[in-house]
Amino acid sequence: MAVAASERGASVLAVDFAPAMVERAEERLQQFHRSTAKVMDFIALDIADGSQDVAISNFGILAYPSWQGALKEMVRVIRPGGAIALTMWTNRDDCSPAHLLHRVFRQLFPNKDLWPPGLFPIFSPTALEKGLLRAGCVDVRVRTAQADWSPFSSNDVGRECDPMFRGFPGYAGLSDSNRSDLLASLKMAFEEYAGSGGVIRLPTKAFVVFASKPT
Ligand SMILES: C[S@@+](CC[C@H](N)C(=O)[O-])C[C@H]1O[C@@H](n2cnc3c(N)ncnc32)[C@H](O)[C@@H]1O
């Protein structure tokens, strides 16, 4: 997102509290002299009030139970009339690779949690609109977008996604044999979305939310 905005001429400050994410963003932003990346907690941004035109959180704040505090911070740092944009998976079964993993995990291990309760709060468009209005935003619009996630064949997806899936405590805590059972079932689940040549086309679905700060 930071690169796309920089390519369009924006001067971007990209933030994340994971140093590895910031390092990678810094590398990718190096070619844009007016953009940079910094380690920051989205609950307490080290950014002056009203200093930004736009605040965007791409699959960021809405993934966490602290999203309301983080949204307040986004509103604080933009100027009157500034814009907010947020994206987040819709949380329906199979709306993202992680949610497909979640469905298969639940079937195999009904007594375990893949991710802690509270991660990926469940939203409806109405709940999102209310949340943004409560944070003082106006002109709130919530859309649902769909796009194919299609990077791998179903043969490769388990191996390729393993580092990402290890971020989920339920997956990281499995024994080797449970993990290999899960990956075999996951491969079958992904195969339902594989076209000719075995390449997956998972129609992922996300909320895209726009709003403004009153002038
Ligand atoms: C699904 S990733 C999205 C990353 C990035 N926005 C993107 O589009 O690729 C969610 C990110 O939120 C970051 N995160 C979680 N809690 C945070 C916090 N309190 N402050 C800042 N970043 C946080 C994580 O480190 C992770 O990189």
Side-chain angles (χ1 to χ4, degrees):
M1 184 65 81
V3 169
S6 301
E7 281 169 350
R8 286 158 179 77
S11 120
V12 177
L13 169 59
V15 303
D16 196 292
F17 76 173
M21 291 293 278
V22 170
E23 250 171 60
R24 179 69 183 126
E26 257 175 349
E27 273 170 28
R28 296 190 61 199
L29 290 172
Q30 229 165 26
Q31 55 178 312
F32 305 103
H33 300 301
R34 296 187 306 145
S35 295
T36 179
K38 280 198 184 144
V39 173
M40 268 186 219
D41 189 330
F42 56 45
I43 276 298
L45 295 173
D46 186 13
I47 301 175
D49 293 0
S51 59
Q52 311 292 314
D53 294 318
V54 178
I56 302 175
S57 181
N58 193 37
F59 301 100
I61 68 161
L62 294 180
Y64 301 95
S66 55
W67 66 274
Q68 290 181 70
L71 177 59
K72 214 167 135 195
E73 277 294 89
M74 291 175 71
V75 174
R76 177 183 68 75
V77 301
I78 56 170
R79 62 170 168 76
I84 298 254
L86 310 169
T87 61
M88 191 55 216
W89 306 117
T90 59
N91 230 329
R92 291 194 202 116
D93 268 359
D94 300 12
C95 71
S96 81
H99 286 78
L100 195 146
L101 171 71
H102 188 253
R103 171 168 67 79
V104 173
F105 187 96
R106 212 175 43 213
Q107 284 159 356
L108 282 187
F109 311 113
N111 299 321
K112 292 185 200 278
D113 286 325
L114 177 58
W115 50 62
L119 189 70
F120 297 147
I122 313 274
F123 293 109
S124 64
T126 314
L128 282 169
E129 189 181 356
K130 275 192 188 150
L132 275 101
L133 292 172
R134 214 171 28 236
C137 296
V138 292
D139 192 19
V140 181
R141 286 151 291 151
V142 181
R143 311 241 163 90
T144 305
Q146 181 171 316
D148 279 351
W149 182 82
S150 185
F152 309 120
S153 84
S154 49
N155 285 329
D156 300 332
V157 71
R159 185 169 28 82
E160 293 285 348
C161 289
D162 178 75
M164 173 177 84
F165 291 160
R166 281 180 191 271
F168 298 125
Y171 181 92
L174 289 177
S175 65
D176 287 347
S177 89
N178 279 352
R179 186 172 307 114
S180 86
D181 290 347
L182 175 67
L183 289 175
S185 300
L186 188 64
K187 179 172 179 286
M188 286 196 294
F190 271 116
E191 266 162 14
E192 288 173 28
Y193 290 103
S196 61
V199 175
I200 298 161
R201 295 176 74 87
L202 182 70
T204 62
K205 290 178 201 70
F207 292 121
V208 183
V209 186
F210 306 95
S212 306
K213 182 168 173 172
T215 47

